[in-house]
Amino acid sequence: MTRTFVMGDAQAPAATLMAVLDRHGALRGDRLADDVVLISIGDHFDYDLHDPVTAGREGLTFLRWLASHDPAQAVLLLGNHDAARVMELVAISDERFAQARAFARALDGDPARDLRFAAAFPDLPTPGLVGRDYASFSVAQRDLVRALLLAGRFHLARTGALPDGRPVVLSHAGVTRRELALLGAADAPVAIAAALEALLAGAIAAVRDDWARGVATPLSLAPVHAA
């Protein structure tokens, strides 16, 4: 028998996440138990904008731990916080991001916040993205996400079955009729997952050579996801 656990948005200290898994009997020592499959639904970064450096390290620790397991045992789905590392933040350095984060936080309450931020950091989308949403970004995170994408460890969707046998789609984001139309996919879990996986495979293929040469080309999941 295989026990399958599905974990949504692992945005917490690594010790907390391990304690949750342990409480459910999913661990043997510091590893997943042999009979356990863990599906992480994505978003492994950004949970504490007041201490983003620590939060960033914790996210790295847990994602590396997940990725150290066999792909069949630890299944990683791509969330927007993961994807942002190789999309909106594909070319920024740690130093410039730290400057932008501090600048964005200092503008809280300023009615001209967006305009002032855009003038100072035209290469970044919004002060909210930098100061709040993706505040724990680091280049090490980007490197890890990129490596896992190239290795085929991240997925956009997987399928599963409910206890009554009904098939379901496992993905980080909702799939609506809009996405079905954009994908040209039938309204069935297997077809939806296959179409999303094909989209991701094509997106990675489009940037693989650039990434290998060190060119900071952003991953694109258009038109399904708009960075």
Side-chain angles (χ1 to χ4, degrees):
M1 183 177 70
T2 298
R3 296 179 292 148
T4 301
F5 293 86
V6 181
M7 174 183 284
D9 293 40
Q11 293 169 306
T16 300
L17 298 167
M18 296 295 282
V20 171
L21 292 171
D22 187 53
R23 188 162 65 246
H24 287 279
L27 301 179
R28 293 294 181 270
D30 63 352
R31 305 290 293 170
L32 289 173
D34 291 343
D35 65 330
V36 164
V37 171
L38 176 61
I39 302 171
S40 181
I41 297 289
D43 278 5
H44 301 89
F45 306 109
D46 308 312
Y47 66 86
D48 186 352
L49 60 87
H50 300 293
D51 187 2
V53 174
T54 298
R57 286 197 299 262
E58 293 292 300
L60 267 175
T61 295
F62 191 68
L63 183 54
R64 283 171 174 157
W65 179 81
L66 287 171
S68 71
H69 290 80
D70 186 275
Q73 187 176 28
V75 180
L76 308 178
L77 299 187
L78 190 70
N80 57 294
H81 285 258
D82 309 311
R85 270 62 189 170
V86 292
M87 288 183 172
E88 295 95 330
L89 306 175
V90 70
I92 195 164
S93 67
D94 285 336
E95 294 75 18
R96 182 160 175 79
F97 187 83
Q99 293 168 0
R101 181 174 59 213
F103 189 78
R105 296 297 301 279
L107 291 175
D108 285 349
D110 186 333
R113 183 180 188 224
D114 289 352
L115 290 175
R116 290 185 61 191
F117 184 84
F121 296 93
D123 50 329
L124 292 169
T126 68
L129 181 149
V130 175
R132 180 190 64 243
D133 298 341
Y134 304 141
S136 76
F137 166 81
S138 71
V139 170
Q141 296 167 2
R142 181 173 65 215
D143 290 345
L144 178 58
V145 170
R146 183 169 52 206
L148 292 175
L149 283 166
L150 291 173
R153 287 301 305 268
F154 268 121
H155 304 277
L156 280 188
R158 279 291 186 253
T159 55
L162 297 177
D164 62 7
R166 284 180 295 162
V168 292
V169 175
L170 302 170
S171 70
H172 180 74
V175 178
T176 71
R177 296 191 184 281
R178 168 190 176 272
E179 284 74 45
L180 291 181
L182 291 171
L183 291 166
D187 187 3
V190 172
I192 293 169
L196 287 169
E197 287 290 88
L199 175 69
L200 179 61
I204 295 171
V207 298
R208 184 180 293 275
D209 289 346
D210 282 353
W211 286 1
R213 296 196 306 270
V215 179
T217 302
L219 185 77
S220 172
L221 296 176
V224 169
H225 172 71

